[in-house]
Amino acid sequence: MNDPEKQAYIFGGILALANRLQVLGDKLDENVTLKQWLLIAMILKSEHPSPTISEVAEMVGYSRQNVKKMALILEKRGFVSLIKDAHDARIFRMHLTPKCAAYFQTREEKEAQFMVALFDGFNEESTDALCKGIMKLADNIITMESLQHENEKE
């Protein structure tokens, strides 16, 4: 396989694996989808203890509307609270609830087993190489997005 063929395989593979991973992840827990889990993880990992809907959307790569829709579902389930910003009532900040923390503690073992199975057969070298490759792809995507935004402004 030459480089363009490998690149096409990687591109298609990432898309196919993302779909299959989502199906597997959604079966892991009947209460939280994989996309909702990612949303919660991004809130947890945010630099701000209570990020805005727009900030979370940017971190995850979803539209603001999709994040708000998911946040409202998670709010109904008691995992997230949406609170109006103290300085701007148009902005909603997302907070993880104590129920969310307690719930995800009950999932820790199941999540750990999932990750062990997912990366079965990976050694440190292959894990490092995959991590570096994904980080490079993420950097390239950010660059491409920036160029696209600049072109849209023109």
Side-chain angles (χ1 to χ4, degrees):
M1 227 186 294
N2 60 33
D3 276 353
E5 289 171 329
K6 287 178 188 174
Q7 292 167 351
Y9 175 81
I10 291 168
F11 179 73
I14 288 171
L15 295 175
L17 288 173
N19 289 333
R20 294 174 72 187
L21 190 55
Q22 184 175 341
V23 170
L24 272 176
D26 287 350
K27 290 178 181 176
L28 187 67
D29 187 330
E30 63 187 36
N31 296 307
V32 180
T33 68
L34 195 62
K35 286 186 175 188
Q36 291 168 341
W37 173 87
L38 180 60
L39 187 83
I40 289 168
M42 290 295 106
I43 295 168
L44 187 63
K45 297 293 183 189
S46 172
E47 293 176 11
H48 193 285
S50 53
T52 66
I53 290 173
S54 296
E55 289 168 342
V56 173
E58 187 174 327
M59 286 188 290
V60 182
Y62 302 156
S63 70
R64 185 188 181 288
Q65 293 81 4
N66 282 346
V67 170
K68 187 170 184 181
K69 185 178 176 181
M70 279 193 282
L72 290 170
I73 291 167
L74 290 169
E75 185 177 45
K76 285 180 186 174
R77 293 185 184 152
F79 293 129
V80 171
S81 35
L82 297 173
I83 300 172
K84 286 187 179 183
D85 185 82
H87 304 292
D88 189 340
R90 297 170 298 172
I91 297 173
F92 283 91
R93 296 203 169 269
M94 301 175 71
H95 301 270
L96 299 179
T97 64
K99 177 183 176 177
C100 183
Y103 181 77
F104 279 89
Q105 280 182 335
T106 68
R107 285 178 34 137
E108 283 180 355
E109 182 62 31
K110 190 186 275 189
E111 287 180 10
Q113 290 172 357
F114 182 86
M115 295 300 282
V116 166
L118 185 62
F119 289 95
D120 184 39
F122 278 70
N123 60 23
E124 187 175 353
E125 183 181 327
S126 59
T127 302
D128 286 345
L130 183 58
C131 187
K132 287 176 186 174
I134 289 173
M135 288 169 59
K136 181 60 182 158
L137 283 173
D139 288 344
N140 290 349
I141 289 169
I142 290 167
T143 300
M144 291 169 72
E145 289 171 336
S146 294
L147 291 172
Q148 186 177 40
H149 290 303
E150 287 177 21
N151 290 337
E152 289 171 357
K153 289 180 184 177
E154 294 176 358

